[in-house]
Amino acid sequence: MVLITESHFSRAFENIKQDSVEGNCILFVASDVDAICACKILQSILKADLIQHKLVPVSGHNDLQKASRGLVADDPDLRTIIMINCGAPLEVFEMFGSRDDVRIYVIDSHRPFNLDSCLPESKNVFVFQDTSERSKLKEYMEAYEDVMVDEHENDSASDASDQEEDDNGRPRQRRRLAEGDGLSHAERRRKRQRQRRLLTEYYESGVYHANSTAGQAYALATQLARTNNDLLWLAIIGITSQYIFERIDTDKYLKYISVLNDDVARFNLILGEGATRTGDSSIQTEDDFRFMLFRHWSLQDSMYHSGYVASKLGLWKEFGRRRLLNMFAKMGFSIQQCEQVYTHMDMDLKTILRTKIETVAPLYGLTDICFPSFARTFGWKQRFSASDAVYSLVTLLETSPESAIRLGEDVLWNQDEDWDALEEATGDHGDGLASLRRRWWMRNFYTVYDSMDSAEGLERGVKLCMKVQRAVVRQSTAVLEKRAVRVIKNFRTVVMRDGPDLPLFQHPLTLSKLALFLTDAYREHGNRNLPFVIASYDEEHESFLVVATTGAPTFGDIRKNPFGMAFQKAAERTQARISFDSFETSVLQIHKNDLDLFIENLFVAA
């Protein structure tokens, strides 16, 4: 594995461009907003250099394996594979047939890496990474290589012929190096013990997200002098999605913002007084609120349905709802005005809204209710903040067409393919466990792809998001009022077996929203801040979708998620029928009869 830091992104692209002269290029793109933003940025760069490529959406490991058997193995002219948010935890060189004539570029925010890819045999794997993590990752890679060499030497000590037949001679070479490192046998043993502990901690401490793939793709575009307002907006959306859904912390987010601010100022010059733009699509720097879609909703609905405000005020209780009304009164806003859609509020109130909120909100514990962000104008039609766009696109990605119809929203889903026939052919995981989302995820992927730079598409997503968020808050309120949360060992768990909104919670993103809402509520009002394991029943396939989240002690922080390893160990102990067909290791599908025993045997280190 070759690590490519940000200063060398452009050099890696030159290799991609050179290889494209001789062969084909495939982009494997995960089904999440950050990945799709990165994909569109990269495609813009590739098209500018007339590099032909094939876009292949993938929702999980099975999709990659199927592509390896088909698209990769059957294409002798393939020279480049680019993996966006789907390759870091996998042994990708072996997965794609260990072909020496194919270079694999991994642009992925998931951590930890699969260190098997760091061995010399995987020399054709190139990983884009942040400079900040380079030194630590090199330490892990060196430790892994040393430990692997030790294992090779131990295995070959009892069989000299095996040592002679080694293809690349690495054990002999490394032994000679070890003998000359100046360490005694005991010192070398202690060093290996430290290295093994280091590697155990690296894998078992939990998964996390190191960066934004859209941010990395935009850094490449910047080095190549290919940036423009459209690519800047895509980078903003991708980075904001990582922040809103607690995948990067506030410090990393603010570093991205400081870089993007310069380009926003460069591409969006402020015109003189009285001047107007024709078909204005400018981006402006603007502080955003931690309550969702307030430009498109009423102020009361926006605050009531936002996890931050709801958890701080306890809005699932009557006392909390009275506190919200009291806050409006202290701001000098009547209930009638707060129930109006924002666009219909009095202009004077809209003008003073920010000042009033910043003054009054801290009195109710809402101390960090604003955060720096951006907004974009789409002509005279609409104006969307970055968070508006994220909420819209995530909802389009996570909501099935059937659920959208049930909610009364007519979404113009992508019609480029015969999706019904395609989805019927890809309806299960291949291991006997099916899921509802396998029928429609690719249709939704391309709908989001088309909607990113479309005011009409974003508006449809916003309308759908409001109704989905109402369902999330309804379900959260029901869970809290019925005291349906159980504490098992050192995590909380909720199992949803019925209810009118149950079909909505058959996508990991929607279930994660619910888990984050409940995590926020218990962080502010519970005795302990514990992780959440939440399961939603898929009646048609007699299985549960299970998602685990770890809540940080404060808003804006992140905590590693150790449930991926814990899930695997619990499945081994219980022989549960499960499927891990997701790039998020804390997501699984499990047979309904195995769930209770699986959760009872689940243990995660405190």
Side-chain angles (χ1 to χ4, degrees):
M1 180 168 68
V2 179
L3 302 178
I4 305 174
T5 53
E6 189 170 308
S7 59
H8 296 98
F9 284 1
S10 58
R11 187 180 303 173
F13 180 76
E14 289 301 318
N15 292 332
I16 293 174
K17 186 162 64 173
Q18 183 63 38
D19 289 340
S20 70
V21 175
E22 304 175 2
N24 300 329
C25 174
I26 293 180
L27 271 65
F28 291 115
V29 184
S31 183
D32 68 72
V33 170
D34 185 39
I36 299 173
C37 289
C39 167
K40 296 198 73 164
I41 294 172
L42 281 172
Q43 283 189 301
S44 174
I45 298 171
L46 294 171
K47 290 175 182 176
D49 282 316
L50 303 178
I51 299 175
Q52 293 186 356
H53 57 276
K54 182 179 181 65
L55 167 60
V56 181
V58 287
S59 66
H61 305 132
N62 284 336
D63 289 334
L64 282 176
Q65 291 168 356
K66 184 184 296 184
S68 177
R69 293 190 298 268
L71 295 173
V72 177
D74 294 343
D75 186 359
D77 295 325
L78 181 64
R79 293 294 177 269
T80 304
I81 294 175
I82 301 176
M83 307 184 73
I84 304 177
N85 256 3
C86 60
L90 308 176
E91 196 171 347
V92 292
F93 187 67
E94 182 177 322
M95 174 184 289
F96 292 125
S98 303
R99 289 177 54 175
D100 291 331
D101 60 339
V102 176
R103 295 189 187 186
I104 303 170
Y105 297 86
V106 179
I107 309 175
D108 192 356
S109 65
H110 295 91
R111 300 292 185 274
F113 286 110
N114 186 323
L115 293 177
D116 282 327
S117 296
C118 79
L119 297 175
E121 290 83 354
S122 300
K123 61 183 179 299
N124 277 9
V125 178
F126 301 85
V127 178
F128 285 55
Q129 64 159 182
D130 289 344
T131 305
S132 59
E133 59 177 341
R134 180 177 176 83
S135 59
K136 195 66 176 176
L137 184 56
K138 287 189 70 175
E139 181 182 359
Y140 292 131
M141 291 170 62
E142 290 172 0
Y144 187 76
E145 284 197 69
D146 288 345
V147 169
M148 290 297 292
V149 168
D150 247 18
E151 292 179 358
H152 275 298
E153 292 179 350
N154 292 335
D155 290 342
S156 60
S158 59
D159 190 348
S161 62
D162 288 347
Q163 179 67 38
E164 294 301 322
E165 291 174 2
D166 186 75
D167 291 333
N168 50 35
R170 288 179 62 246
R172 289 196 301 274
Q173 178 186 9
R174 290 304 297 263
R175 183 186 290 113
R176 287 196 297 270
L177 292 174
E179 290 170 351
D181 61 7
L183 298 177
S184 67
H185 179 71
E187 290 172 332
R188 193 175 298 116
R189 187 177 65 250
R190 287 194 294 270
K191 178 182 178 182
R192 292 294 180 265
Q193 290 173 345
R194 289 195 301 271
Q195 289 176 322
R196 286 187 170 90
R197 286 196 299 269
L198 180 68
L199 294 174
T200 300
E201 179 186 354
Y202 180 59
Y203 282 119
E204 294 191 356
S205 62
V207 300
Y208 63 100
H209 292 261
N211 47 45
S212 160
T213 54
Q216 288 188 310
Y218 189 77
L220 171 61
T222 301
Q223 291 180 20
L224 298 173
R226 304 283 177 79
T227 53
N228 56 46
N229 230 28
D230 292 333
L231 300 191
L232 174 59
W233 180 239
L234 291 170
I236 289 170
I237 292 175
I239 293 165
T240 303
S241 72
Q242 295 293 85
Y243 181 58
I244 286 178
F245 292 104
E246 300 184 14
R247 293 180 171 180
I248 59 175
D249 60 20
T250 299
D251 289 342
K252 185 170 287 291
Y253 174 74
L254 292 178
K255 289 178 182 177
Y256 277 122
I257 292 299
S258 65
V259 173
L260 296 175
N261 272 331
D262 294 337
D263 280 4
V264 169
R266 182 161 59 94
F267 292 131
N268 302 272
L269 299 176
I270 299 175
L271 302 182
E273 185 176 354
T276 60
R277 286 186 176 94
T278 302
D280 185 13
S281 60
S282 61
I283 302 172
Q284 301 84 33
T285 302
E286 180 177 289
D287 282 352
D288 206 352
F289 295 118
R290 294 189 191 274
F291 41 88
M292 62 190 306
L293 305 176
F294 79 93
R295 297 172 185 81
H296 311 272
W297 223 340
S298 70
L299 185 60
Q300 181 170 333
D301 278 334
S302 175
M303 289 185 138
Y304 179 81
H305 292 96
S306 297
Y308 176 79
V309 178
S311 62
K312 290 286 188 179
L313 300 183
L315 294 181
W316 57 92
K317 303 175 183 177
E318 181 61 31
F319 175 72
R321 292 190 285 272
R322 287 201 303 268
R323 288 189 72 198
L324 179 62
L325 298 179
N326 184 267
M327 188 175 81
F328 290 149
K330 197 173 286 288
M331 289 167 54
F333 285 40
S334 68
I335 298 300
Q336 182 181 8
Q337 284 293 321
C338 293
E339 291 176 346
Q340 290 275 1
V341 176
Y342 178 78
T343 53
H344 297 159
M345 284 180 66
D346 288 349
M347 185 59 67
D348 293 341
L349 295 182
K350 287 194 283 188
T351 302
I352 63 173
L353 174 62
R354 187 174 304 276
T355 302
K356 288 291 186 181
I357 286 179
E358 290 176 349
T359 303
V360 176
L363 303 178
Y364 293 82
L366 306 173
T367 53
D368 49 356
I369 199 168
C370 294
F371 63 96
S373 186
F374 306 94
R376 189 175 194 184
T377 303
F378 288 81
W380 295 277
K381 299 177 183 179
Q382 275 290 8
R383 177 180 171 82
F384 294 92
S385 70
S387 64
D388 292 340
V390 169
Y391 287 127
S392 168
L393 296 168
V394 166
T395 305
L396 290 174
L397 199 62
E398 70 188 353
T399 310
S400 69
E402 292 82 3
S403 294
I405 293 172
R406 193 180 299 115
L407 292 171
E409 287 300 322
D410 182 20
V411 178
L412 296 180
W413 303 102
N414 180 281
Q415 299 297 332
D416 291 345
E417 299 281 350
D418 183 3
W419 296 115
D420 292 334
L422 183 62
E423 289 156 0
E424 184 177 348
T426 59
D428 63 54
H429 294 279
D431 52 13
L433 278 179
S435 68
L436 287 172
R437 65 186 179 278
R438 295 295 297 175
R439 298 178 179 175
W440 43 264
W441 75 269
M442 192 176 293
R443 183 200 308 249
N444 291 34
F445 179 100
Y446 281 108
T447 300
V448 170
Y449 182 95
D450 294 337
S451 299
M452 284 193 166
D453 49 9
S454 164
E456 292 80 5
L458 291 175
E459 180 62 25
R460 285 190 289 269
V462 164
K463 291 178 180 178
L464 182 60
C465 179
M466 293 176 186
K467 295 187 177 180
V468 171
Q469 188 65 17
R470 287 183 190 276
V472 170
V473 174
R474 271 198 310 269
Q475 190 69 42
S476 300
T477 301
V479 167
L480 293 167
E481 289 179 345
K482 296 177 181 178
R483 300 182 182 273
V485 177
R486 290 193 300 155
V487 177
I488 300 180
K489 298 170 185 174
N490 56 350
F491 62 89
R492 293 186 173 94
T493 182
V494 176
V495 178
M496 302 189 303
R497 302 181 187 273
D498 51 35
D501 296 320
L502 197 61
L504 282 173
F505 296 96
Q506 294 305 319
H507 193 286
L509 287 172
T510 320
L511 206 54
S512 295
K513 284 182 182 179
L514 178 61
L516 288 174
F517 193 101
L518 292 171
T519 301
D520 290 345
Y522 275 92
R523 174 168 49 204
E524 298 299 326
H525 300 274
N527 295 326
R528 290 185 294 167
N529 182 33
L530 298 177
F532 246 99
V533 177
I534 188 163
S536 177
Y537 184 48
D538 180 350
E539 184 176 6
E540 180 177 339
H541 298 100
E542 298 186 332
S543 64
F544 281 89
L545 172 64
V546 182
V547 170
T549 60
T550 53
T554 59
F555 282 97
D557 289 339
I558 58 171
R559 179 183 287 172
K560 292 181 179 180
N561 191 329
F563 278 95
M565 190 72 70
F567 279 173
Q568 292 179 19
K569 291 180 178 179
E572 292 171 0
R573 285 193 292 267
T574 61
Q575 298 298 304
R577 290 160 287 182
I578 62 172
S579 168
F580 283 102
D581 189 32
S582 172
F583 298 121
E584 302 296 335
T585 59
S586 57
V587 175
L588 64 83
Q589 200 87 18
I590 184 169
H591 193 278
K592 67 173 185 178
N593 295 335
D594 298 333
L595 178 69
D596 292 336
L597 182 62
F598 174 82
I599 290 180
E600 292 293 339
N601 281 271
L602 188 60
F603 176 79
V604 60

